[in-house]
Amino acid sequence: MKRRTLLKLAALPLAPATLRPAPASATAPQTGLRARVRPGDPGWPSASSWAGLRRSVTGKLTRLAPFFAGCQAAKTSPACTTALARLANTFEIGDQPALTQTSGWIDAWTSQPSAYALAAENTADVAAAVNFARTHKLRLVVKGGGHSYQGTSDAPDSLLVWTRRMNDVRLHDAFVAQGCADAPQPAVSMGAGAMWIDAYDAVTTRGGRYVQGGGCTTVGVAGLVQSGGFSNFSKNYGTAAAGLLEAEVVTADGQVRIANACTNPDLFWALKGGGGGSVAVITRLTLRTRELPATFGAVFFKVKASSEQAYRELIARLVAFYASALFNPHWGEQISFNADSVDVSLVFQGLSQQQADAVWTPLLEWLRARPGYVFDKPYQSLALPARHFWDADFFRKNAPGFMVPDRRPGAPAHHALWKGDLEQAGWYIHGYKSAWMPASLLQADRQAALADAIFRGSRLWQLGFHFNKGLAGAPAAEIAAARDTAMNPGALDAFALLIVAGGEGPQFPGMPGSGPHQAHARNRARQIAKAMDEMLKVAPGAGAYVSESDYFQSDWQTAFWGSNYRRLAQIKQKYDPQGLFFVHHGVGSERWSRDGFTPNT
């Protein structure tokens, strides 16, 4: 399954961690945890208590119902038809407090609405929700963009803090973090509910600068920063987390705190890649902005091999070609290896179209000179002024179809997403695995082993190498900045993040239809696991990316954060000793039952 990139556009015209998981004794003492309550339990808030919360936030509290409840009486009813139609627009999915951008994962979780949602519009609203949840021992959930594959922005019987309306964006010519004496620098401040398309519109399209963010335009800014944050051009600009200058947060005690390098620096570090929803609720964050290169561009093609031997040779050739020609800050995104073909979908920055074509000429000449290869999709390249890379109006006029706008009446004109990302609207996951591929595999004496593993793995499932999601090959300054974040240090020494994944269309509870075919989904999950196992033979102990990883990852503490987990757990204990903030496989979650309601003894 391809993710967060310019997918299917070619069809349009024109050091691995080796530590063991930290034992419970090394994370935080088993004290201060209180079982949470559900509706119907003796401690569940009374109607008057909920009414009091609603008054305190001027009516922004809503009781939620299953989104497809209207389909139960009649699957052809107007209510059911309207609900189904909303799934065609990822912006509209995000505007529904009862929905998530992923509908679930076989044998893992299913998207279900919270009992109540507080549509926060300011920091005081967030603090009110945090205090209410702590006082009444409620399961608290935070949702911005709602893209979590792990279901971390979803939990039944909970109180949802929904930050979608906190979406203001403000540019700074000379920002200095509170309490710091650093030189002023250009930056952008955003509310916790802003999406990356909001950031890019303000910073790049209108402001003429660059901010390191996410590839999928509907992903929430706050969630991506807390997970680390890669985009199309991370090979040159590093991670979003490394660009964080300051955050305003609400901690578990209901206090509003500023976190930056000078004020609450430990909390600041934890927010930079420590995973969303574990330590505090971000209400505002400020990121550095950069000078914009002259051009952004892309290269697409798909080539098929006519025999097993030809496919082996193609893989080996591509591995060597990447190591010699593409392993640098100019290139990002992915190459996917299928059973007998290779799909190239890459982006570049700082090159003209002619320069980009010159890079690919030797490989293209090699392919065209051999009868064993056929182009299923011809080689295409394009370059455009970088200022227009996320400009919906520019694409509408010059390359219609590349971006899909939010066509609802009153929708912001800049709200658009890449056409390829539509395939994941509400998708239901069968299996999803990731692994940081160490750059040592690109050394001349290791390339043959890597190519052989790719051949074996791709016979089982598609292998997607996301080169922009490994920082090896990036400028030294960007690697150093990323090293001062909570992410697994293995990402710094990886040339790519390997993703092996698959799923199907939306499977929200109550939708018309028979639901997912469980046996088929589980069989696909097993194939995905086997394919990754083949790759891990050349990268044993490789870590995984917290935002794009296996729900069932057994060594998640080490895989997601490596040697940083112990420090993260200490910070979690300092700011949230009662474990108010809980997400699946988040910092401190080993202290709780799988659903986050019962402390482990």
Side-chain angles (χ1 to χ4, degrees):
M1 177 63 65
K2 300 179 182 181
R3 180 182 193 269
R4 314 296 187 237
T5 186
L6 311 180
L7 302 176
K8 299 184 178 178
L9 300 190
L12 297 171
L14 247 174
T18 57
L19 298 177
R20 295 184 180 276
S25 60
T27 58
Q30 302 291 318
T31 59
L33 305 186
R34 303 180 300 168
R36 310 190 209 276
V37 298
R38 301 178 185 271
D41 289 347
W44 184 255
S46 65
S48 61
S49 295
W50 286 111
L53 175 61
R54 183 177 288 108
R55 286 193 299 272
S56 72
V57 295
T58 61
K60 299 163 193 167
L61 183 71
T62 304
R63 188 163 189 169
L64 299 182
F67 192 76
F68 290 96
C71 296
Q72 300 307 303
K75 297 178 181 179
T76 57
S77 68
C80 186
T81 301
T82 299
L84 289 169
R86 296 187 191 280
L87 299 185
N89 183 340
T90 57
F91 288 99
E92 191 155 13
I93 292 174
D95 285 342
Q96 309 304 320
L99 288 180
T100 49
Q101 297 285 355
T102 300
S103 57
W105 188 316
I106 186 71
D107 296 325
W109 68 279
T110 301
S111 182
Q112 299 181 64
S114 297
Y116 287 87
L118 198 161
E121 295 181 1
N122 53 55
T123 302
D125 292 339
V126 174
V130 168
N131 286 329
F132 191 84
R134 185 188 65 254
T135 299
H136 293 280
K137 298 183 289 185
L138 302 182
R139 174 85 155 80
L140 189 70
V141 177
V142 182
K143 183 172 74 171
H147 278 270
S148 171
Y149 288 178
Q150 304 270 344
T152 58
S153 55
D154 172 90
D157 301 333
S158 66
L159 171 59
L160 171 66
V161 179
W162 189 38
T163 63
R164 184 80 163 186
R165 297 176 184 175
M166 300 174 66
N167 58 2
D168 59 300
V169 179
R170 184 163 61 97
L171 300 182
H172 306 276
D173 293 327
F175 179 82
V176 178
Q178 293 185 32
C180 294
D182 301 331
Q185 60 181 307
V188 57
S189 291
M190 293 167 280
M195 294 175 284
W196 283 107
I197 192 60
D198 300 317
Y200 295 139
D201 175 65
V203 175
T204 302
T205 306
R206 293 186 285 122
R209 291 183 64 79
Y210 178 81
V211 58
Q212 175 58 35
C216 179
T217 61
T218 59
V219 166
V221 170
L224 185 107
V225 169
Q226 290 175 89
S227 67
F230 295 94
S231 78
N232 312 94
F233 307 109
S234 289
K235 213 65 158 186
N236 188 59
Y237 296 104
T239 65
L244 183 65
L245 300 177
E246 182 173 277
E248 178 190 80
V249 304
V250 176
T251 47
D253 56 4
Q255 297 299 306
V256 180
R257 287 182 164 86
I258 295 298
N260 57 44
C262 309
T263 305
N264 299 312
D266 54 349
L267 178 59
F268 179 61
W269 179 82
L271 295 172
K272 298 192 297 179
S278 290
V279 180
V281 183
I282 286 181
T283 55
R284 174 182 52 79
L285 67 172
T286 301
L287 298 169
R288 64 182 294 209
T289 64
R290 323 284 194 89
E291 290 187 8
L292 196 64
T295 57
F296 288 144
V299 165
F300 306 101
F301 67 92
K302 183 177 182 179
V303 61
K304 185 174 182 178
S306 61
S307 67
E308 179 178 303
Q309 182 58 34
Y311 183 48
R312 284 183 177 274
E313 293 178 2
L314 174 60
I315 294 171
R317 191 77 179 189
L318 273 169
V319 168
F321 179 74
Y322 178 80
S324 63
L326 305 176
F327 185 39
N328 58 62
H330 289 296
W331 295 92
E333 277 306 327
Q334 64 181 283
I335 295 178
S336 297
F337 295 87
N338 306 293
D340 59 0
S341 63
V342 175
D343 202 341
V344 174
S345 181
L346 293 176
V347 295
F348 58 84
Q349 62 83 27
L351 300 174
S352 67
Q353 183 173 342
Q354 293 73 23
Q355 289 172 320
D357 289 341
V359 171
W360 286 93
T361 296
L363 179 66
L364 295 173
E365 289 180 345
W366 183 86
L367 289 167
R368 290 165 179 157
R370 286 159 175 77
Y373 304 109
V374 175
F375 284 86
D376 281 353
K377 295 177 184 177
Y379 174 87
Q380 293 184 357
S381 65
L382 60 92
L384 69 159
R387 190 161 187 163
H388 295 307
F389 192 78
W390 293 282
D391 185 344
D393 187 59
F394 176 87
F395 279 98
R396 180 180 60 80
K397 294 176 180 177
N398 298 284
F402 272 63
M403 298 192 83
V404 179
D406 181 358
R407 294 187 174 89
R408 292 176 297 166
H414 67 274
H415 274 192
L417 75 156
W418 302 114
K419 182 176 184 292
D421 284 329
L422 276 176
E423 68 182 29
Q424 291 194 53
W427 78 306
Y428 184 84
I429 300 175
H430 296 161
Y432 204 109
K433 290 180 175 289
S434 70
W436 301 113
M437 292 286 102
S440 58
L441 291 172
L442 297 179
Q443 296 174 4
D445 61 346
R446 300 289 306 281
Q447 289 182 14
L450 173 60
D452 189 51
I454 293 173
F455 175 80
R456 297 192 311 269
S458 64
R459 310 296 272 188
L460 298 166
W461 204 265
Q462 182 188 76
L463 307 178
F465 283 78
H466 294 241
F467 302 112
N468 53 301
K469 294 175 181 175
L471 292 184
E478 302 306 331
I479 294 176
R483 196 177 301 280
D484 188 29
T485 71
M487 285 189 66
N488 188 331
L492 281 60
D493 302 318
F495 75 90
L497 180 72
L498 171 65
I499 294 178
V500 189
E504 60 182 301
Q507 298 292 332
F508 289 100
M511 285 181 61
S514 58
H517 190 296
Q518 295 186 354
H520 173 66
R522 289 168 182 148
N523 181 61
R524 285 162 59 89
R526 286 190 290 270
Q527 286 296 105
I528 289 167
K530 290 178 181 178
M532 179 58 83
D533 285 345
E534 290 297 332
M535 295 305 304
L536 292 179
K537 291 177 181 178
V538 295
Y545 182 32
V546 61
S547 285
E548 298 176 282
S549 59
D550 187 6
Y551 182 92
F552 305 99
Q553 186 100 29
S554 60
D555 61 339
W556 56 270
Q557 296 100 325
T558 300
F560 298 162
W561 295 291
S563 56
N564 288 328
Y565 189 74
R566 184 181 297 268
R567 181 181 175 190
L568 280 170
Q570 292 169 346
I571 295 169
K572 165 76 170 177
Q573 176 67 12
K574 175 181 176 180
Y575 288 96
D576 186 17
Q578 294 183 344
L580 176 66
F581 301 122
F582 169 91
V583 295
H584 175 71
H585 284 177
V587 177
S589 64
E590 65 272 10
R591 302 167 68 189
W592 291 91
S593 59
R594 178 169 154 176
D595 61 7
F597 276 84
T598 306
N600 289 328
T601 56

